[in-house]
Amino acid sequence: MKVLGLIGSPREGGNTEKLVNAIIEGAAENGADTKVYNLSKLDLSPCKGCMTCKAEGECVIDDDMQELYEEVQAADAIVLGSPLYMWEITAQTKLFVDRLVAFVKPDFSSRLNGNKKFVLAYTQGNPDTATFKQYFDYMEAMFGFLHFDVQGSIVAAGTVAPDDILAQEVVLAEAKEMGKNL
Ligand SMILES: Cc1cc2nc3c(=O)[nH]c(=O)nc-3n(C[C@H](O)[C@H](O)[C@H](O)COP(=O)(O)O)c2cc1C
């Protein structure tokens, strides 16, 4: 069982990193083979919309996404974490998400090799977990459309300073449990 963690926050050591790591730790405790990348440390270009991937099955951009394509195909489960920036995922996370178009065939079936569980993890400064629920639901639907087996979303709210999440023992325990269940 391989679990891939992707951190979409540019702030190293911040809340999103801690939330994703809690899920990954849970998975590792249950024997998963885990690997984590920080998207902001990678060389990721935006999709240029050439649509070569539709015909060729592969993206033509030669950057670190090529490694991530392999990691996604090798993974049984993926954990994607992002802080909310202006009501949505960070630009770093969006670069990764757009490039997943290479896995979508012209008839909207998938090039993913088998079932891949998918967990979304968010942190937000706003203390109300309900504020962005519509967006979280939309993201789950979108990853379902991309043929990922969406397991759910977790959100740590009211996180502003990088260690704020450490006070949220319930959320961190829930995150670990999500990882174990993968
Ligand atoms: C540019 C920017 C935009 C943000 N936009 C939002 C937002 O729309 N809603 C919100 O609740 N928090 C927002 N925040 C706060 C972050 O989502 C929150 O502090 C998060 O936990 C930061 O994650 P990190 O600790 O991994 O960096 C924003 C922060 C930044 C820097």
Side-chain angles (χ1 to χ4, degrees):
M1 171 83 181
K2 287 191 172 191
V3 181
L4 174 66
L6 299 170
I7 300 163
S9 172
R11 183 161 65 165
E12 261 185 82
N15 299 287
T16 311
E17 187 179 308
K18 292 181 177 87
L19 185 60
V20 170
N21 283 340
I23 302 171
I24 292 293
E25 261 173 51
E29 273 182 26
N30 263 4
D33 177 9
T34 64
K35 199 161 182 182
V36 179
Y37 287 85
N38 189 322
L39 296 176
S40 71
K41 286 193 188 163
L42 301 180
D43 169 30
L44 293 178
S45 302
C47 172
K48 55 184 182 177
C50 68
M51 292 296 180
T52 308
C53 61
K54 297 291 128 215
E56 309 283 328
E58 283 177 10
C59 177
V60 294
I61 304 173
D62 183 16
D63 63 4
D64 290 339
M65 190 65 197
Q66 296 302 336
E67 187 176 335
L68 291 185
Y69 284 132
E70 284 177 19
E71 294 288 359
V72 169
Q73 288 292 36
D76 300 295
I78 296 153
V79 178
L80 180 63
S82 178
L84 268 271
Y85 274 13
M86 307 307 178
W87 293 37
E88 58 187 322
I89 53 174
T90 60
Q92 290 86 346
T93 313
K94 185 69 161 68
L95 287 178
F96 166 78
V97 173
D98 282 358
R99 298 282 295 280
L100 293 176
V101 75
F103 288 128
V104 182
K105 290 186 190 172
D107 66 356
F108 297 105
S109 63
S110 178
R111 291 192 172 96
L112 291 171
N113 58 0
N115 189 68
K116 294 180 193 301
K117 292 182 178 177
F118 205 95
V119 166
L120 288 147
Y122 303 97
T123 66
Q124 59 179 59
N126 185 327
D128 181 4
T129 53
T131 306
F132 306 112
K133 187 182 178 302
Q134 227 181 345
Y135 177 67
F136 301 150
D137 289 347
Y138 147 85
M139 288 289 279
E140 286 192 4
M142 195 270 292
F143 281 103
F145 174 78
L146 293 179
H147 299 275
F148 289 100
D149 178 11
V150 179
Q151 303 293 297
S153 306
I154 184 165
V155 56
T159 50
V160 180
D163 282 341
D164 280 352
I165 195 170
L166 297 179
Q168 300 190 23
E169 285 171 24
V170 173
V171 174
L172 289 172
E174 192 193 329
K176 213 166 177 182
E177 200 54 34
M178 275 180 118
K180 282 187 178 169
N181 289 337
L182 287 175

